[in-house]
Amino acid sequence: MASQSHVNRPIITLKSTEGTGSTYTTRKNRRNTPDRLQLLKFDPVLHRRVMFRETR
């Protein structure tokens, strides 16, 4: 029987809020974080850390 991990942990895309087009892909646990994820990550275009938001 196959596990249901893909249902609870979907692959999401994090996009830079600065408009550079930089993205990260990661997995998140829907049960722990049902809202959209926001993380402070490094933007290689701007060479500094900026906020990245989950896109759908």
Side-chain angles (χ1 to χ4, degrees):
M1 184 174 242
S3 68
Q4 295 292 326
S5 66
H6 65 280
V7 175
N8 291 331
R9 286 193 173 271
I11 297 174
I12 61 166
T13 302
L14 299 172
K15 189 172 182 182
S16 175
T17 57
E18 298 294 323
T20 60
S22 299
T23 60
Y24 283 95
T25 56
T26 187
R27 302 180 76 140
K28 82 167 190 178
N29 189 334
R30 277 193 189 148
R31 192 173 292 173
N32 293 341
T33 54
D35 300 330
R36 287 195 183 187
L37 192 61
Q38 294 183 6
L39 294 174
L40 197 61
K41 303 283 280 181
F42 182 78
D43 192 333
V45 177
L46 298 175
H47 301 291
R48 63 185 176 97
R49 295 187 321 166
V50 297
M51 188 65 71
F52 277 75
R53 251 185 218 127
E54 176 183 348
T55 60
R56 293 186 180 177

